[in-house]
Amino acid sequence: MQMELKQLSDEQLSEFDTDDMFVERWNLITQCIDRDFPDGKFCFLDLGGGNGIFTDRLLYRYPEARAVVLDNSELLIRRNKPNPRKTILLASVEDMEAKLAGQQFDIVFMNWLLHHLVADSYAQTRENVRSAVGLARRHLTPKGRVSVFENLCDGILLDGLPSYLIFYISSSRWLAPLTKKLGANTAGVGVCYRSERQWLALFSSVGLRAVSSQAEKEPWYIPTFKKVLLYVLHIRDLKANLFWLKAG
């Protein structure tokens, strides 16, 4: 499947050499795993797994689990630590089927990946994301789950407006110097955040339904001088959300 994907530079990618799975987020993930895979025996695919830190933490907690990390950044893939239960693949999401050769997984993780699958247009970006989720669904075992951590941008009045505005502002090369100064690491390339309702509708369109949808308890802290941007972008608040999905 061919996607039109814009790529971040190595300088931009280097800022993702981190571990964003804070205690509350980690607990949300492990609660779902412990409920649906109580024996701790499962195989998982970490799409956009980057430096492998998240995968390594899971393999440490679940000593009978096995993993595949797939990412298209050579910079981040090189930073993976070796593990006999971990396979590392340098590949793009669009090449998933060819690289995985029919493998199936009990869990497919996509942590803050989908909003980066941007193209030149908003419509093509939405199709990129839909295609990626559909590909992930096809690699599930019968008892499989898709785990998606994403940022929620719910609108104040118009639910889908922030997604549209953020995409065009963050992807604008003309505005890139300004958006970079405001803290947008993806300035000039873009991101495509969505509201909870938009994410759930997208998952449903490819045959996935939410077993649970859990947001962080508190919205992100936004400095006072930046709060005006939330109103300009029609955003009620910002927080991360875990979607735990199954086919059906």
Side-chain angles (χ1 to χ4, degrees):
M1 182 177 298
Q2 190 65 34
M3 299 182 192
E4 299 177 16
L5 296 175
K6 296 167 71 175
Q7 300 294 327
L8 297 171
S9 67
D10 280 354
E11 180 183 358
Q12 290 171 309
L13 286 167
S14 65
E15 295 196 24
F16 296 105
D17 187 20
T18 59
D19 179 10
D20 291 325
M21 204 58 65
F22 311 134
V23 172
E24 182 183 2
R25 298 172 178 177
W26 178 252
N27 288 340
L28 289 175
I29 288 276
T30 55
Q31 286 167 11
C32 289
I33 295 174
D34 291 344
R35 181 189 65 226
D36 290 348
F37 302 94
D39 61 1
K41 296 179 181 179
F42 57 91
C43 59
F44 67 92
L45 170 63
D46 190 1
L47 283 178
N51 58 21
I53 291 177
F54 173 70
T55 287
D56 292 341
R57 288 181 66 181
L58 283 178
L59 292 176
Y60 180 79
R61 180 181 174 96
Y62 301 99
E64 294 190 76
R66 294 176 291 109
V68 173
V69 176
L70 186 149
D71 199 287
N72 68 349
S73 168
E74 186 174 355
L75 173 74
L76 295 177
I77 281 290
R78 286 200 308 263
R79 298 183 182 180
N80 273 261
K81 295 179 180 178
N83 187 309
R85 292 184 285 125
K86 178 172 68 171
T87 301
I88 302 169
L89 296 177
L90 176 62
S92 176
V93 171
E94 62 185 314
D95 301 320
M96 186 193 320
E97 289 200 310
K99 289 290 184 179
L100 295 176
Q103 291 183 67
Q104 291 191 307
F105 301 90
D106 298 309
I107 312 174
V108 178
F109 290 101
M110 292 184 281
N111 296 326
W112 295 281
L113 165 69
L114 295 176
H115 67 256
H116 288 297
L117 302 181
V118 294
D120 288 329
S121 72
Y122 184 68
Q124 182 59 50
T125 296
R126 289 169 60 92
E127 186 55 34
N128 283 351
V129 177
R130 186 178 184 279
S131 296
V133 177
L135 286 172
R137 182 190 185 281
R138 291 210 289 270
H139 285 276
L140 289 181
T141 61
K143 63 178 181 179
R145 300 288 187 265
V146 174
S147 175
V148 177
F149 248 121
E150 268 299 344
N151 302 327
L152 298 187
C153 286
D154 293 336
I156 297 172
L157 294 175
L158 301 176
D159 185 66
L161 184 57
S163 173
Y164 185 86
L165 293 176
I166 291 171
F167 172 79
Y168 277 104
I169 292 172
S170 64
S171 62
S172 169
R173 293 181 181 179
W174 182 70
L175 291 174
L178 174 61
T179 52
K180 187 174 183 179
K181 285 183 179 180
L182 292 172
N185 176 49
T186 58
V189 177
V191 291
C192 190
Y193 298 141
R194 299 171 190 241
S195 68
E196 182 179 17
R197 186 183 303 171
Q198 286 179 307
W199 283 119
L200 290 172
L202 182 146
F203 300 141
S204 178
S205 73
V206 297
L208 291 171
R209 68 178 182 87
V211 177
S212 61
S213 174
Q214 303 177 80
E216 294 177 307
K217 292 181 180 178
E218 297 294 332
W220 299 345
Y221 169 74
I222 306 293
T224 302
F225 76 96
K226 285 188 177 181
K227 284 185 178 179
V228 66
L229 292 175
L230 297 185
Y231 293 103
V232 170
L233 295 173
H234 200 68
I235 298 171
R236 185 166 64 241
D237 56 37
L238 288 169
K239 61 180 71 173
N241 193 87
L242 172 63
F243 299 96
W244 188 255
L245 310 159
K246 72 175 183 178

